[in-house]
Amino acid sequence: DIFAHAIRAHPFAAAPILRARAPRDLGTMDSKEAQGQIAQMISFIAAEAADRATEIQKKGEEEFSIEVHRLITEQKEKVRQGYEKKAKQIETKYAIAKSMAIN
């Protein structure tokens, strides 16, 4: 078969889906054999598509998780900086009030 070799050679194929046959004239395949091969090819293509969809889903989830982590870290830093700024303002006001009380 023309397709049997390609499918067996595919790196993700766990086992050959199509069975190799003895060489013969390609025009002598009957309708039942052709339908069987078409069904096997459809099954193989659907399995490959499902695998690819799973890979894409996992990659998307991973990228989402990374982005959420980045945003959380960024917002935590902004909050920390805001508290530092307020703490410095309070310290400055306290120092000014203390200085004015002494004078």
Side-chain angles (χ1 to χ4, degrees):
D1 271 10
I2 295 172
F3 299 108
H5 173 72
I7 291 174
R8 277 195 312 277
H10 191 276
F12 297 116
I17 293 176
L18 302 176
R19 291 170 209 78
R21 295 189 189 147
R24 64 180 190 174
D25 183 17
L26 291 176
T28 62
M29 182 185 304
D30 66 19
S31 177
K32 189 174 181 179
E33 289 175 314
Q35 289 300 321
Q37 279 199 344
I38 290 170
Q40 287 176 331
M41 286 186 277
I42 289 171
S43 176
F44 176 77
I45 292 168
E48 287 295 310
D51 289 346
R52 184 68 178 128
T54 300
E55 290 173 15
I56 291 169
Q57 179 71 28
K58 285 180 181 177
K59 184 176 181 182
E61 289 170 359
E62 181 180 325
E63 289 175 359
F64 175 78
S65 178
I66 290 168
E67 182 65 12
V68 166
H69 179 70
R70 185 189 68 77
L71 290 172
I72 289 172
T73 303
E74 183 179 286
Q75 292 304 313
K76 282 181 179 179
E77 180 62 22
K78 283 183 180 180
V79 169
R80 188 187 61 73
Q81 288 175 356
Y83 278 116
E84 285 180 5
K85 183 177 178 181
K86 286 180 183 181
K88 285 183 181 182
Q89 287 174 346
I90 291 170
E91 289 173 4
T92 303
K93 284 182 183 180
Y94 177 75
I96 291 170
K98 185 178 177 182
S99 175
M100 291 180 95
I102 293 173
N103 292 333

